Amino acid sequence: MTLNPHHGAQAAASDPFGERSRRHASLCRQIMGGCFRFESASAALLDLVDAAYAGLPPHRLPPAAPEFRIELRLLPRRASPPAAEPPPVQMQSGAGLLCGVMDASNYVVLAPAQRQALVVASADMLERPYHLRYELIEFAVFTLATRGLGLVPLHGACVGRQGRGILLLGASGSGKSTLALHSLLQGLDFLAEDAVFVQPESLLATGVANYVHVQADALRFVDDGEIRRWIGEAPRIRRRSGVEKFEADLRQGHGRLAPAPLELAGMVFVSSQAADDPDVLLSAVPGGEIAARLCADQPYASGQPGWHPFQQRMEQIGAHQLRRGRHPRDAVDALRRLLG
């Protein structure tokens, strides 16, 4: 068979936007109360999605879950990919679209009103699965779920038991992840350690309990050899801040993942400061200070729809500050007392 050397160029000229139908495989996952359909011609991208979301408890929120569609497109390798980490994502919006752009070959375009997103990645990004998953794919999932389900997006963690949860807030480095890990190891249900999404009317909280991220020095508080191996043998990731952490897969059977959304029963601001009295770690936050502390802790969420009813409900519940004790398990005991 004789090939026409101009065929490829002609095809590109006739379909410059890549709109023509391609053979796509798809997979569906129940995530954060929504049904997400991922479609791609790239098996490698779908494998990355499956690694992120397979095996999670299928959280559902009232009313019935809508369907979200995310198309993932793989481009050829960049001629000169960056030697260090990829460039940070730059946000843009307009004409009802939201965009997150790393560069011309790696970006996300979201249409929240249509519950759809396009994730584009270059083949070399498959060598950086953490950045590809966390900054492009999860960005699309979290943003669509937040806008499509009317959730308040929070930077924080959440643990609980018997359907009740405690929201853990605080600055990066305050110890939220370590506390969430030890809560899991001490028998509490693990909902999320980095991002929590709350339905403001019901105060039902959901998240993605796929990984926990802890620094190496947190292992000194882990006595169980099997748990130490589980974390110590996990891949290491590097945050944009430069902090390196283990990324341990929570679906390997260590502890219990929250099987359903947790109804928030309390809020705790986690502090890196040691308690004056190691037997008294919790102190109530005065009611008149809760709103200001909450807004200062969550600058992005405080500007989103649903914030004011959420804030009012959390003021009614009350808040505590948690300082460090002798061992993280002492902080877990304090959370248990709040849960009743």
Side-chain angles (χ1 to χ4, degrees):
M1 182 176 69
T2 303
L3 296 178
N4 182 348
H6 301 295
H7 177 73
Q10 290 174 344
S14 66
D15 185 24
F17 294 102
E19 296 173 281
R20 291 183 179 169
S21 175
R22 303 180 184 186
R23 182 175 295 177
H24 282 182
S26 69
L27 59 85
C28 293
R29 292 288 179 265
Q30 185 75 22
I31 308 169
M32 296 167 49
C35 178
F36 282 80
R37 178 180 296 276
F38 299 89
E39 300 176 344
S40 182
S42 166
L45 288 178
L46 289 178
D47 285 345
L48 192 59
V49 169
D50 206 42
Y53 300 116
L56 293 175
H59 286 191
R60 289 176 170 81
L61 293 166
E67 182 172 284
F68 299 91
R69 178 175 173 267
I70 298 180
E71 180 182 342
L72 302 109
R73 187 172 298 176
L74 191 66
L75 298 184
R77 293 181 63 90
R78 289 170 291 184
S80 301
E85 65 183 13
V89 174
Q90 302 295 319
M91 308 297 185
Q92 293 288 341
S93 66
L97 302 176
L98 303 176
C99 303
V101 180
M102 278 186 179
D103 58 30
S105 298
N106 296 278
Y107 54 89
V108 181
V109 181
L110 301 107
Q114 286 73 42
R115 301 192 178 111
Q116 296 187 46
L118 171 67
V119 176
V120 176
S122 55
D124 55 278
M125 282 294 289
L126 293 172
E127 300 163 10
R128 300 179 179 275
Y130 169 72
H131 288 95
L132 174 51
R133 187 196 78 237
Y134 187 74
E135 298 189 348
L136 296 178
I137 297 174
E138 290 192 6
F139 169 71
V141 170
F142 286 169
T143 305
L144 284 182
T146 298
R147 302 297 175 96
L149 298 171
L151 305 178
V152 175
L154 302 167
H155 174 57
C158 185
V159 297
R161 66 178 177 185
Q162 298 179 344
R164 289 160 53 84
I166 298 292
L167 180 62
L168 306 176
L169 304 177
S172 295
S174 61
K176 298 187 299 296
S177 296
T178 299
L179 178 54
L181 170 65
H182 283 272
S183 296
L184 173 82
L185 300 181
Q186 297 297 318
L188 294 185
D189 291 349
F190 188 108
L191 184 93
E193 60 97 23
D194 187 54
V196 180
F197 301 83
V198 181
Q199 194 175 62
E201 299 80 9
S202 64
L203 285 190
L204 288 173
T206 185
V208 177
N210 47 9
Y211 302 100
V212 63
H213 301 90
V214 291
Q215 296 186 57
D217 65 355
L219 291 179
R220 72 184 189 274
F221 295 113
V222 179
D223 301 323
D224 188 300
E226 182 180 353
I227 300 298
R228 289 177 64 89
R229 283 192 297 275
W230 164 54
I231 298 173
E233 294 175 0
R236 287 177 179 258
I237 59 95
R238 184 183 178 88
R239 298 286 202 193
R240 289 288 185 179
S241 63
V243 174
E244 290 192 354
K245 293 189 174 187
F246 292 108
E247 185 176 64
D249 195 327
L250 289 162
R251 296 158 292 180
Q252 295 180 1
H254 300 286
R256 173 182 162 95
L257 305 184
L262 298 176
E263 183 178 353
L264 294 181
M267 174 172 57
V268 168
F269 291 96
V270 181
S271 172
S272 60
Q273 294 181 341
D276 295 331
D277 182 345
D279 294 320
V280 182
L281 305 186
L282 282 173
S283 59
V285 175
E289 298 179 9
I290 292 176
R293 288 196 61 168
L294 195 53
C295 286
D297 191 80
Q298 302 292 326
Y300 172 71
S302 63
Q304 298 303 302
W307 175 259
H308 291 296
F310 166 75
Q311 175 185 294
Q312 292 170 353
R313 293 293 307 278
M314 297 310 293
E315 286 180 287
Q316 293 169 1
I317 288 175
H320 289 79
Q321 178 169 281
L322 177 70
R323 293 189 175 182
R324 292 192 179 181
R326 302 180 187 91
H327 192 282
R329 62 172 163 260
D330 298 331
V332 177
D333 289 340
L335 296 183
R336 278 202 186 94
R337 289 193 291 272
L338 284 182
L339 285 166

